[in-house]
Amino acid sequence: MLRGKLNGSRSRETHELTELALRACLVASDAAFNIKDFLANSSRMAFLAVRDCEKELDRIERQIDEQLPAAITQVSELEARELLACLRFSTDLERIGDLLWGVGQRAQSLQIRLPKPDSKQLIEMTGILEKMLQSVRESFARRDVDPASYVLRADREIDQVYRSLFRRHLEHDYHKKVQHGVDVLLMAQALERAGDHATNLAEELFRLIEGRSLRHMPKKQVKD
């Protein structure tokens, strides 16, 4: 297990880049919170907050991408692993920001309020994603795999809500009764994909903290 060693002394560059990755986790969870608020209340401030989060995640990704090559040549193998984790974090979190901003833009473009069953499930998916991102940050900050384990279980929850919403939209004649059904499905798909990115980060934390990969284990076994 690498936990004890990772909690030891680190170079200034590693510390700074890790703090940036942790900030990106916080920004991404803020984006999820504001998407939830926007879907529930049509808050203009929440919509603009999601846009600002997406821009901030882009900025953090660029900064890590620019600083990491020089930093990684000056550190130990353990710190190099941490820096590579920071790079993966910035990439996945930037993608989550893009997906959430896309959900916000699509919801903003609708001419009518979403039907209650759809908005309820989209809000549920977003709430799960928000908790996943908070747990990813906690796991990374504490070097503790327990919050990361929660993320793996929560991915199954978000998948279940997505499948339920999808099945309802495929029911006979439902698409004729509900306007913008395609938009709803695309928003749900984006949230499901954001959950997959959060799961990637949880798996990365297992590799960083415990030195073992979950990539090749059966999906059910990983989440159990």
Side-chain angles (χ1 to χ4, degrees):
M1 183 178 296
L2 303 177
R3 184 180 299 144
K5 296 180 181 179
L6 286 169
N7 281 332
S9 61
R10 293 177 296 170
S11 68
R12 178 178 59 83
E13 292 81 7
T14 301
H15 176 75
E16 289 177 354
L17 290 172
T18 299
E19 288 301 309
L20 274 175
L22 288 169
R23 171 164 174 74
C25 292
L26 183 61
V27 173
S29 64
D30 283 349
F33 171 83
N34 282 289
I35 277 290
K36 183 174 62 176
D37 186 18
F38 182 61
L39 291 172
N41 305 309
S42 301
S43 166
R44 176 69 177 170
M45 289 184 63
F47 177 75
L48 295 176
V50 177
R51 180 197 63 185
D52 292 343
C53 287
E54 189 269 339
K55 290 181 178 179
E56 177 67 1
L57 288 167
D58 282 348
R59 185 194 68 79
I60 292 174
E61 184 192 32
R62 288 195 302 272
Q63 188 172 348
I64 290 178
D65 189 58
E66 290 168 0
Q67 295 181 12
L68 187 138
I72 205 168
T73 63
Q74 304 173 36
V75 298
S76 66
E77 179 184 347
L78 283 175
E79 284 192 65
R81 292 181 182 182
E82 184 170 348
L83 290 174
L84 288 173
C86 290
L87 181 62
R88 296 184 182 107
F89 263 61
S90 68
T91 299
D92 276 297
L93 291 167
E94 188 275 337
R95 186 58 185 142
I96 289 172
D98 285 347
L99 289 165
L100 292 175
W101 177 228
V103 171
Q105 289 177 301
R106 191 171 293 278
Q108 173 75 357
S109 71
L110 299 179
Q111 301 300 313
I112 62 171
R113 290 185 66 87
L114 290 171
K116 192 170 182 179
D118 290 330
S119 63
K120 180 180 178 181
Q121 287 189 297
L122 291 173
I123 290 167
E124 183 179 2
M125 292 178 73
T126 310
I128 296 169
L129 177 64
E130 180 189 2
K131 292 177 183 177
M132 292 170 77
L133 292 167
Q134 290 170 346
S135 295
V136 163
R137 186 180 189 279
E138 181 183 359
S139 182
F140 196 7
R142 290 170 39 194
R143 298 300 194 269
D144 180 358
V145 296
D146 286 345
S149 297
Y150 161 77
V151 175
L152 300 178
R153 297 191 299 272
D155 184 51
R156 183 164 54 196
E157 295 177 25
I158 209 169
D159 287 348
Q160 288 173 345
V161 180
Y162 172 64
R163 287 193 295 269
S164 173
L165 185 151
F166 196 87
R167 283 195 301 269
R168 193 178 71 254
H169 275 260
L170 292 181
E171 289 177 358
H172 182 62
D173 286 340
Y174 186 82
H175 65 286
K176 297 179 181 178
K177 301 174 185 176
V178 179
Q179 297 184 51
H180 308 300
V182 172
D183 292 294
V184 170
L185 290 175
L186 289 173
M187 285 190 280
Q189 183 182 58
L191 294 172
E192 190 269 340
R193 289 172 62 194
D196 287 342
H197 284 288
T199 301
N200 290 344
L201 296 178
E203 292 173 350
E204 179 63 31
L205 286 166
F206 270 89
R207 177 159 51 188
L208 175 66
I209 298 168
E210 295 197 336
R212 61 188 178 100
S213 174
L214 305 182
R215 298 281 180 172
H216 304 297
M217 292 176 64
K219 194 172 184 181
K220 184 178 184 304
Q221 184 178 345
V222 168
K223 293 180 181 179
D224 288 344

